[in-house]
């Protein structure tokens, strides 16, 4: 029997967006299984802690049976090789993404030529969404509805909840 075709879909996911979800679903149709993998990097400051990002992703992909969510640290290609993945899937929204993605794909190819990078283009309705802009909108009190999965909206709402007053 042929071995299962596994892909990793890596990122920071701070927070996951509807664009990410669109790409994860597309990738899940191309591979036997997709591991959405979140970079654990203590040196990088993120809005949401790793556990929240993992929980948001797990909830958002709960209905897709061949997708799992895991943290990784160290080199992405080492994680991918350990999991038996044949491909790294990344999204390309437009020209602005291209130089960064090409550099990263080339570096990963140098590090492990057996793992291919595949680029998927999100559906046009999501091509303007970025985690950075979502954070910016939320930081000034704007609505992120329609940009992120509903579960992520609830995490933003929780962050903005006023502290409970202590009852005596
Ligand atoms: O969502 P992001 O921040 O664009 O994702 C970047 C990520 C996590 C895919 C990238 O930084 C990464 O793979 N980091 C792990 C370290 C590594 O393998 N570096 C060499 C290839 S660039």
């Amino acid at each position: 029997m042929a071995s299962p075709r596994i892909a990793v879909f890596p990122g920071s996911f701070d927070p996951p967006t509807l664009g990410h979800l669109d790409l994860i679903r597309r990738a899940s149709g191309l591979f036997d299984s997709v591991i959405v993998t979140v970079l654990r990097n203590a040196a990088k400051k993120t809005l949401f802690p790793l556990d929240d990002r993992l929980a948001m992703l797990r909830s958002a992909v709960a209905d897709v049976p061949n997708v799992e969510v895991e943290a990784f640290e160290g080199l992405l290609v080492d994680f991918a090789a350990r999991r038996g993945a044949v491909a790294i899937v990344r999204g390309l929204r437009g020209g602005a993404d291209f130089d960064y993605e090409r550099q990263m794909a080339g570096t990963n190819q140098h590090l492990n030529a057996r793992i291919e990078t595949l680029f998927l283009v999100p559906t046009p309705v999501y091509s303007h969404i970025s985690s950075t802009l979502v954070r910016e909108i939320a930081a000034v009190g704007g609505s992120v509805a329609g940009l992120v999965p509903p579960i992520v909206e609830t995490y933003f709402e929780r962050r903005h909840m006023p502290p409970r007053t202590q009852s005596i």
Side-chain angles (χ1 to χ4, degrees):
M1 206 173 78
S3 48
R5 308 292 284 176
I6 301 169
V8 293
F9 187 91
S12 303
F13 303 104
D14 188 34
T17 67
L18 288 179
H20 291 130
L21 265 295
D22 174 57
L23 294 166
I24 292 166
R25 282 171 201 280
R26 283 162 194 274
S28 77
L30 296 173
F31 290 91
D32 295 315
S33 92
V34 173
I35 306 170
V36 177
T37 182
V38 187
L39 176 65
R40 180 197 300 273
N41 181 356
K44 189 172 168 187
K45 254 191 85 62
T46 56
L47 178 64
F48 290 101
L50 178 67
D51 283 350
D52 284 2
R53 286 177 281 143
L54 291 170
M56 288 188 266
L57 280 165
R58 286 191 179 118
S59 169
V61 301
D63 63 321
V64 196
N66 63 337
V67 174
E68 55 189 284
V69 179
E70 234 184 277
F72 83 103
E73 54 193 328
L75 285 180
L76 175 62
V77 287
D78 291 347
F79 172 83
R82 278 200 303 279
R83 290 291 179 277
V86 294
I88 295 166
V89 176
R90 294 281 291 175
L92 261 192
R93 288 163 300 190
D97 285 342
F98 186 66
D99 280 343
Y100 171 60
E101 293 298 335
R102 184 174 52 180
Q103 196 178 15
M104 201 151 64
T107 307
N108 284 328
Q109 203 172 62
H110 165 83
L111 292 168
N112 187 335
R114 285 191 302 268
I115 299 175
E116 297 290 352
T117 297
L118 293 186
F119 295 118
L120 294 183
V121 174
T123 187
V125 290
Y126 298 137
S127 62
H128 60 286
I129 303 179
S130 79
S131 297
T132 307
L133 291 181
V134 165
R135 291 196 303 273
E136 259 181 53
I137 292 166
V140 292
S143 167
V144 295
L147 300 173
V148 297
I151 182 71
V152 176
E153 284 182 62
T154 65
Y155 274 74
F156 272 114
E157 282 156 17
R158 234 180 270 174
R159 284 184 63 86
H160 289 112
M161 271 195 343
R164 279 206 180 156
T165 44
Q166 206 77 43
S167 54
I168 41 169

